[in-house]
Amino acid sequence: MPNSVTMAPHHFHAAVWIDHHEARVFHFNTSQLDQATIHPDHPARHLHHKAGAIGAGNSAEDHKYLASVAAALTDAGAILIVGPSSAKTELIKHLHRHDPKTAERVVGIETSDHPSDGQIVAHARVYFRAADR
């Protein structure tokens, strides 16, 4: 079961690093940081294409997982989504379909490998400093 997440509503900025195995959500302002990690019920397994097999070799979107991540972002004023895979685009599609008010607050989507939590927050702080100008 995905972790339930309650974030402090006093942080304006949020960054989420997401792949099909976890989402790390950071809410922050200039002096404070709150973090949560959300896991899907059934993490996607890497699927290989097999010659002559039917299907694209991709796993289906986990709507419950995406809804949990979306719920962790509802209080954010500006959101940056980063990650290495298609999960970031699945999240933005989910937001547009099921939570358009939160989708409107997404200011950026970027490809990122597997940075540390500190690297994610440092990048997001620089990103938002530039975006806030």
Side-chain angles (χ1 to χ4, degrees), residues 72-88:
L73 297 170
T74 57
D75 291 335
I79 303 164
L80 174 63
I81 301 171
V82 296
S85 67
S86 62
K88 62 188 174 297

Side-chain angles (χ1 to χ4, degrees), residues 78-123:
I79 303 164
L80 174 63
I81 301 171
V82 296
S85 67
S86 62
K88 62 188 174 297
T89 53
E90 291 170 11
L91 175 59
I92 193 66
K93 287 178 190 176
H94 178 87
L95 290 172
H96 281 292
R97 281 191 300 257
H98 302 286
D99 193 352
K101 289 192 183 287
T102 300
E104 289 173 4
R105 295 190 305 273
V106 174
V107 297
I109 303 168
E110 296 185 353
T111 299
S112 172
D113 195 21
H114 291 81
S116 69
D117 292 352
Q119 289 172 319
I120 295 167
V121 173
H123 174 71

